[in-house]
Amino acid sequence: MSLPLHASCHLEVGAIGQGTALEWTGGGTRDTHCIQNLRLGLDLGMTVVDTAPIYENGHAEAVVGRALVDRRTEAFLATKFSPDASRRKDVIRSAEESLRRLQTDWIDLLQVHWPHPSVPLSESLEGMVELVEQGKVRHLGLGNCTAAQISEALQTPAGPHLLSVQQEYSLLDRSIESDVLPLCREHQLWLLGYSPLARGKIAPSDPRAEVLSEIAARHGASVAQVVLAWLCRDGSVLPIPRSGSENHLRENAAAAAIELSTEDIARIDSAYAMRMIPVATDDIVVPPGDRVYTTLAEARENRFGLVPGPVDLADKIAAGEMLKPIKVEVDRDDPHRRYRLLEGRVRYWAWVIAHEGNRPIPAVIEGREEC
Ligand code: NAP
C-alpha cells in the first residue's frame, strides 16, 4: 500500500516512513547499524526518510547521507530547518548545509521544524520558495503549526509547493484531530505523523491496551502494528516511526498492509478518546531535566537560549494561539501538587507568563487520571 500520489508530488512513496531522531550518537558501529537499518527500511518500502539538522547536531543527516549515497533516487528525503534559522537567508543557508551533510543535490521535502514566533512565517516561506526555484528542494512542508498558520501559508506563493504538514499524532496525542487533520484532508496535504508510537509509551500495563492486544491477536499482528494501521486508516496520515531494531522495522513496514475493520477503528477510537482538561498552572510541577526551567524566573531569563523561548511564545499565546496541549501525569509523590509535567516545558511557562498564572492550561492527562 502506498500513499495516494499528491498532484504535485514527483514520486510515489510508501505508506509508512522512517524517523531518524534520537539515539543516533555514538559513531562507529552505532552509525553502521543505523545505516543498515535505513537501507533495510528502503528495501521494505519505507521510502520517506525524515531527518533534521537539529538531530544530533547534524550527525543524523550525515548518517542518512551515507545510507542513501548510492540509493538516493529510491528515497523520498525529508529534512527541516530549525526555528533559529527562520529568517529568509538562514533558511537558505540551513538547507545548503543539509545538502552537504546529506551528500545530495536535492531535498525532496524541506519542512518548517517549528515556526519562530518572532519571525513571520511568510518570510521563512519566501526562502523556501527560492530553494524550490533553484532546484535544490522539490516540495515544501510545514511542521508544528496551528491550523491558522497552515491556512495562512496556503495563501502565500509557497501554497502550490506545499505537500505536507508534520505534527505529533498518536493514540496518546490526538489533538490535531479537531482542526489540523481536517484542514490537511481538505487541502490534500499529507499529514506526517511524528512520534506515532507515542515514543514507545503505549504500555501493555495501560488497561486501554487490552483493546489493541485483542485486535492485534485477531490480525496476527503486534500492538505497534495495530497502532500504525490505525494511523493509516484513511490514507491521509503517513506515520514516521523510529526504530533501531531490525525486527521492529520489519513489523512497521508490514503494518501498512493491515486493514482494520470499521468496528476495530471505532473500538480503538473510543478506548483512546483524548483526556484533555484545563489544569490550574499552580497544580503542575515541572521536574528538573536537561535544559528545563523549574521556576518562572528561570523561564523568563531563558539562560539556555531556547528558541523559541517562553517569553517569545507568550506573546503568541496571549494573542490566542496555542499549538497543542501540554502533557501531564498525576504526581503520586507530591501531596500538594497534583500533576507532573511530561511534555511542553516551553509552552507551560509561556502560558504562565501570558496569563500571569491566572488561567488553567489545556492539558492531556497520561496514565491513570486520578490518585
Ligand atoms: P516513536 O517513533 O513514536 O517511538 C520510537 C520508539 O518506539 C522507540 O523506542 C522504538 O524502539 C519503539 N518502536 C519502534 N517500532 C516499534 C515496534 N514495532 N514495536 C515496539 N516498539 C517500537 O517516537 P519518535 O522517535 O519521537 O518519533 C519518530 C520520528 O518522528 C523521529 O525519529 C523524528 O524523525 C520525528 N519527530 C519529529 C518531531 C518534530 O518536531 N517534527 C518531533 C519528534 C519526532 P526500538 O528502537 O527498540 O524499535
Side-chain angles (χ1 to χ4, degrees):
M1 184 171 119
S2 59
L3 208 69
L5 203 59
H6 184 276
S8 73
C9 183
H10 68 284
L11 190 72
E12 201 163 330
V13 298
I16 293 177
Q18 305 186 65
T20 62
L22 306 174
E23 294 173 26
W24 276 58
T25 42
T29 53
R30 178 73 206 160
D31 288 0
T32 309
H33 179 69
C34 290
I35 290 168
Q36 281 166 353
N37 277 346
L38 274 168
R39 293 168 72 89
L40 173 65
L42 283 188
D43 295 339
L44 297 168
M46 294 194 288
T47 50
V48 172
V49 176
D50 177 71
T51 188
I54 212 172
Y55 301 161
E56 310 303 342
N57 272 328
H59 185 65
E61 284 189 331
V63 172
V64 169
R66 286 169 57 200
L68 302 184
V69 74
D70 57 340
R71 301 185 63 177
R72 179 63 189 88
T73 53
E74 294 172 53
F76 185 88
L77 182 50
T79 192
K80 316 183 183 92
F81 60 86
S82 303
D84 59 2
S86 295
R87 292 281 175 204
R88 189 195 66 83
K89 66 174 187 345
D90 296 327
V91 170
I92 294 169
R93 176 189 46 75
S94 169
E96 283 170 350
E97 287 168 4
S98 292
L99 284 167
R100 270 195 297 282
R101 283 190 293 263
L102 291 162
Q103 301 185 51
T104 182
D105 296 330
W106 80 98
I107 292 164
D108 293 297
L109 178 65
L110 180 67
Q111 306 158 95
V112 175
H113 202 149
W114 287 83
H116 191 299
S118 312
V119 178
L121 184 57
S122 56
E123 178 177 336
S124 307
L125 291 166
E126 249 177 64
M128 294 168 84
V129 169
E130 269 183 61
L131 287 158
V132 172
E133 287 165 355
Q134 292 168 10
K136 293 174 180 165
V137 166
R138 298 220 164 136
H139 306 282
L140 302 181
L142 301 170
N144 295 303
C145 285
T146 60
Q149 286 169 322
I150 298 167
S151 300
E152 175 201 328
L154 284 164
Q155 300 307 312
T156 69
H161 304 290
L162 283 177
L163 178 69
S164 64
V165 177
Q166 184 171 146
Q167 305 281 126
E168 182 161 1
Y169 189 34
S170 74
L171 280 178
L172 300 190
D173 187 341
R174 302 176 60 180
S175 45
I176 62 165
E177 287 181 3
S178 58
D179 50 6
V180 169
L181 188 53
L183 190 64
C184 287
R185 287 188 180 124
E186 182 189 339
H187 292 278
Q188 292 172 305
L189 297 171
W190 298 349
L191 191 295
L192 261 56
Y194 76 72
S195 303
L197 298 170
R199 302 181 173 102
K201 281 194 288 189
I202 298 180
S205 56
D206 182 337
R208 295 175 295 176
E210 269 174 35
V211 171
L212 300 177
S213 302
E214 190 269 303
I215 294 171
R218 214 163 3 87
H219 285 271
S222 72
V223 162
Q225 286 181 309
V226 170
V227 171
L228 293 173
W230 176 83
L231 286 165
C232 295
R233 62 199 179 279
D234 70 359
S236 50
V237 175
L238 192 155
I240 46 169
R242 172 188 57 82
S243 176
S245 133
E246 185 183 323
N247 285 345
H248 286 166
L249 271 180
R250 290 187 187 280
E251 268 188 21
N252 296 350
I258 297 174
E259 284 195 32
L260 298 176
S261 67
T262 314
E263 194 201 333
D264 291 337
I265 292 169
R267 287 183 63 207
I268 296 170
D269 276 341
S270 137
Y272 283 87
M274 209 165 77
R275 294 181 300 177
M276 187 165 78
I277 58 167
V279 177
T281 49
D282 280 349
D283 284 347
I284 298 172
V285 177
V286 183
D290 182 30
R291 307 203 317 151
V292 171
Y293 302 128
T294 54
T295 66
L296 178 57
E298 285 178 357
R300 282 190 190 280
E301 188 196 351
N302 193 18
R303 72 189 146 98
F304 300 128
L306 302 181
V307 180
V311 172
D312 301 323
L313 207 55
D315 291 341
K316 291 279 175 195
I317 289 175
E321 273 184 35
M322 180 68 168
L323 175 64
K324 59 179 182 178
I326 58 165
K327 292 196 187 116
V328 297
E329 68 179 358
V330 173
D331 186 345
R332 292 166 201 285
D333 301 330
D334 185 333
H336 307 298
R337 311 242 186 168
R338 297 190 55 219
Y339 297 99
R340 182 188 293 124
L341 185 72
L342 294 176
E343 271 176 48
R345 63 198 166 134
V346 176
R347 275 170 282 144
Y348 170 79
W349 288 117
W351 183 276
V352 172
I353 293 167
H355 299 298
E356 297 175 349
N358 293 326
R359 187 178 295 186
I361 182 168
V364 173
I365 317 293
E366 286 199 359
R368 280 170 41 210
E369 195 164 351
E370 293 301 333
C371 294

